[in-house]
Amino acid sequence: MTPPENSNMRGLVVSIPPRYLPFALFNLKKIYGELGCQLPIEIWEVGNELNADAKKQLNAITDKIIWRNVAEFTQDLKHWQGFQVKAFVVAHSAFNEVLLFDADGIFHQNPENLFSDPEYQKTGYYLFRDLKRWVFEFNWWDRLMYKFNLRQPFKGNKFRNYAFFLERQAWLRRCLNNVKPSNFPAEWDYIWQDEMPKEPVIETYVDSGVVAINRSKRPETIKKLFDLNNNHPDTYKYVWGDKETFWISALMAGEPLTVNPKWAYEKDAEQNQAWKSKQNLICQDWNGQLFFTQKGVV
């Protein structure tokens, strides 16, 4: 299938590293079989990631695949190998309305139904929350060093280091020109408090496993998203990969977004499922039902 010329077209978008091919095969069979999705899908590579046999297996599932490559736009492929490629493909997709998803996930509802969500239609941008259990926690050593104004290099988990917390706080404030937007998430309000948090605070907000965005409605968000991830050697010092850049970019652009009201949660894979789990599945609900899971093993 060739890239669509219709700028109003909707489509699915995914980048598939070779290690996630089993997930992709399982997920695409489910999407275009059991779930009845009718949308085309762009499968992105960074260079020649998938061999001919892998592509043959994927093409056998549906004729709706459009093969895309980062090399169409840049020769600096190494720069885009990693989480940052997700921002790249959103910026360069031929679709106007993009439903981006991670290659290691499984849909449990027809993904195209997300475009019908009233809040998505209102804002043109829909994100899902991450697990709530990731938090900043400051131990007695951090508190002591802070009390006596002694800064030490980051050791161990930097997300439990108060010196790192201060640098992350300063970075995010700079991103937003030191002005708190009216739609800044309440969960991260501690970013605007100068005193040291006395209790653990939530370290994550959104997950980028599934993202729906209307590119014509949110052009500035996409520009900011691209810039943050293009600058990933610096950006990723302060956040876990690309995830938080998806909501931060909207606030930097001064554009609205919708975040699913329910936090992601974990559960064991059921025995009758077609895959097993070496760890708890990360689950996302939408419209009152399970929508997407990650971390299984097909």
Side-chain angles (χ1 to χ4, degrees):
M1 190 172 180
T2 57
E5 297 180 359
N6 182 356
S7 63
N8 294 319
M9 198 171 208
R10 293 171 170 174
L12 310 181
V13 175
V14 64
S15 172
I16 305 178
R19 68 184 182 276
Y20 290 145
L21 179 62
F23 284 99
L25 291 169
F26 183 93
N27 197 23
L28 263 65
K29 288 176 183 177
K30 186 170 185 179
I31 289 171
Y32 290 106
E34 175 188 339
L35 300 179
C37 181
Q38 297 299 311
L39 294 179
I41 180 170
E42 290 182 342
I43 297 181
W44 283 78
E45 296 180 89
V46 184
N48 297 315
E49 293 184 292
L50 298 176
N51 61 34
D53 182 64
K55 292 183 177 181
K56 181 179 179 181
Q57 292 182 68
L58 290 163
N59 283 327
I61 296 172
T62 176
D63 61 358
K64 297 183 183 298
I65 294 175
I66 303 164
W67 291 98
R68 305 296 307 276
N69 203 303
V70 172
E72 296 172 31
F73 302 94
T74 178
Q75 296 306 306
D76 191 4
L77 302 182
K78 186 176 181 180
H79 180 75
W80 292 103
Q81 289 177 333
F83 298 125
Q84 58 273 21
V85 73
K86 291 158 68 174
F88 187 98
V89 303
V90 168
H92 293 88
S93 173
F95 302 132
N96 180 49
E97 293 187 78
V98 166
L99 197 150
L100 172 75
F101 64 95
D102 281 354
D104 66 341
I106 306 294
F107 281 105
H108 300 272
Q109 298 183 52
N110 188 335
E112 65 184 294
N113 292 344
L114 186 58
F115 288 125
S116 68
D117 185 276
E119 291 301 315
Y120 165 76
Q121 293 181 348
K122 183 189 301 182
T123 65
Y125 197 20
Y126 197 100
L127 300 170
F128 287 82
R129 291 175 184 257
D130 203 348
L131 294 169
K132 197 174 183 178
R133 65 182 172 88
W134 303 115
V135 296
F136 278 112
E137 296 181 274
F138 310 114
N139 59 31
W140 67 270
W141 180 252
D142 279 316
R143 294 177 185 278
L144 186 65
M145 300 301 287
Y146 175 67
K147 180 178 180 180
F148 292 102
N149 200 29
L150 298 172
R151 302 287 296 278
Q152 292 293 315
F154 306 147
K155 293 181 179 180
N157 183 352
K158 66 182 181 180
F159 287 91
R160 295 190 177 190
N161 183 292
Y162 189 64
F164 169 76
F165 171 82
L166 290 177
E167 294 202 7
R168 186 191 211 207
Q169 182 185 56
W171 171 80
L172 185 49
R173 289 183 180 185
R174 288 196 303 272
C175 286
L176 299 172
N177 295 317
N178 292 303
V179 177
K180 180 182 175 181
S182 60
N183 60 342
F184 193 85
E187 293 84 353
W188 276 42
D189 203 54
Y190 59 84
I191 290 293
W192 303 99
Q193 299 170 6
D194 293 329
E195 62 274 9
M196 180 180 184
K198 295 181 175 58
E199 300 293 336
V201 291
I202 295 172
E203 181 269 317
T204 60
Y205 182 42
V206 306
D207 181 76
S208 58
V210 179
V211 175
I213 187 166
N214 185 314
R215 298 171 70 247
S216 62
K217 277 189 175 181
R218 298 292 157 248
E220 293 304 316
T221 292
I222 290 172
K223 288 179 183 177
K224 297 296 184 183
L225 179 67
F226 182 89
D227 290 344
L228 284 171
N229 286 274
N230 187 28
N231 192 30
H232 61 84
D234 182 66
T235 299
Y236 292 1
K237 292 177 185 176
Y238 307 104
V239 290
W240 283 117
D242 62 297
K243 296 190 290 187
E244 309 303 336
T245 66
F246 278 81
W247 67 267
I248 292 171
S249 58
L251 270 60
M252 291 174 67
E255 294 181 339
L257 72 160
T258 297
V259 178
N260 188 296
K262 184 170 183 177
W263 289 91
Y265 59 96
E266 295 178 289
K267 72 173 185 178
D268 291 330
E270 297 177 7
Q271 295 300 316
N272 62 350
Q273 296 285 11
W275 68 94
K276 298 178 180 178
S277 178
K278 292 182 179 178
Q279 54 187 312
N280 288 342
L281 292 174
I282 298 176
C283 305
Q284 298 284 1
D285 286 357
W286 174 76
N287 202 25
Q289 296 180 329
L290 181 63
F291 186 68
F292 190 75
T293 53
Q294 291 177 274
K295 302 300 183 186
V297 181
V298 296

